[in-house]
Amino acid sequence: MCKKISEATPRDSVRGRVSAAVTLRHFLLAAMTWGVLLAAGTAHATISCSVSGNGFTSVYDPISTVPNDNVSSVTINCSRASGDPTTTTYSLASTNGLYPQGQNNRARYSTSNYLKYDIYKDASYSSRWGPSGSAPFTGTLNFGSGTSASLTLPYYNRVSAQQSAVAADYTDTMTTTLTYSVTSGVNATATPATMPVIITTNPQCQFSTPPGTMSFSYTSFQTTAATGSSQFATRCTSGLPYTMSLGATSGTLLGLAYSLSLSAAGGTGTGAAQTYSVNGSIAANQVGVCATSACTAAAPQTLTISY
């Protein structure tokens, strides 16, 4: 009897180990199934958005008294799976470019030559478009029953008037960042879009103050010359050399010979007004022609800037 009992014990032990191994395999299989289901739930939301824009180019006249304004646009494109939300909220921010100064964007030609420009969200140029947290575009994009949607947002560029500038291409790069909702409480950020800015300044000159009338008072046979002067001002692109000339440097009125000259033959533009004068004289001891006690006469003259 003792031998039978001792032979039965090892067989029972083997059965116990086999049963335990089977139970362990079932546990591992259950754990693997749970892991696959969890991963599938996390990957369900598939809303994806991108942003693109072309930046803007502008030809700037630095001597104009009005700002240089133009409009450009940026586009948001989004897609979703059929089971995803039908709307996504967005926030589209813009940097102040590579060379900002305070709130102003600046395009650069060289380390000492910049042009200020600003970006606005509205055609009245009252609401700036700026970085996240200050002045981004915000809103909701609606897919409706579709799986894709897009939105084009215009933005408005202003280069302020009468900045000192050389004739050159001024460049900058704006960067826009799009943040959008994927599901409730979950946001994603699209790859930032870079948009080039090119502001071309052409050489320009103008009379910011034109010359006025030069008047002489002369009495026949007077022993001293009569003189007169009229001031004017030019405004030319910075660094731009220019010359000035009169259509005539002499003439005759009422039988009196007169001469004209300029205070300078030319200059180099600074972007600001530069003042000169036209000077004139009537030599002494001239008789003149006048049948009454007093006579008047006038003649137009031409002043030209060449650059």
Side-chain angles (χ1 to χ4, degrees), residues 93-108:
S94 171
T95 64
N96 290 122
L98 301 176
Y99 319 104
Q101 185 178 56
Q103 288 188 339
N104 293 120
N105 298 39
R106 294 192 304 171
R108 187 178 78 168

Side-chain angles (χ1 to χ4, degrees), residues 47 49 76-80 84-90 139-151 181:
I47 290 180
C49 295
I76 299 171
N77 288 295
C78 295
S79 62
R80 72 180 187 101
D84 288 328
T86 58
T87 62
T88 179
T89 58
Y90 65 85
T140 300
L141 191 62
N142 196 327
F143 291 95
S145 59
T147 57
S148 64
S150 65
L151 175 66
S181 62

Side-chain angles (χ1 to χ4, degrees), residues 9 23 30-31 39 50 52 71 80 84 97 105 159 174 199 260 272:
T9 300
T23 301
S50 63
S52 61
V71 62
R80 72 180 187 101
D84 288 328
N105 298 39
V159 187
M174 297 166 50
I199 304 173
L260 300 174

Side-chain angles (χ1 to χ4, degrees), residues 6-32:
S6 61
E7 290 174 358
T9 300
R11 286 196 297 273
D12 290 339
S13 298
V14 170
R15 292 193 192 96
R17 287 195 297 272
V18 172
S19 176
V22 171
T23 301
L24 179 61
R25 284 197 297 272
H26 282 300
F27 175 77
L28 290 175
L29 180 61
M32 290 174 63

Side-chain angles (χ1 to χ4, degrees), residues 49-57 71-77 92-94 119 129 137 151-155 157 172-178 190-198:
C49 295
S50 63
V51 59
S52 61
N54 295 324
F56 75 92
T57 61
V71 62
S72 190
S73 64
V74 61
T75 300
I76 299 171
N77 288 295
L92 182 61
S94 171
I119 308 298
W129 182 24
F137 281 104
L151 175 66
T152 297
L153 298 167
Y155 64 92
N157 319 295
D172 192 21
T173 300
M174 297 166 50
T175 302
T176 60
T177 301
L178 173 66
T191 301
T194 56
M195 301 189 298
V197 174
I198 303 174

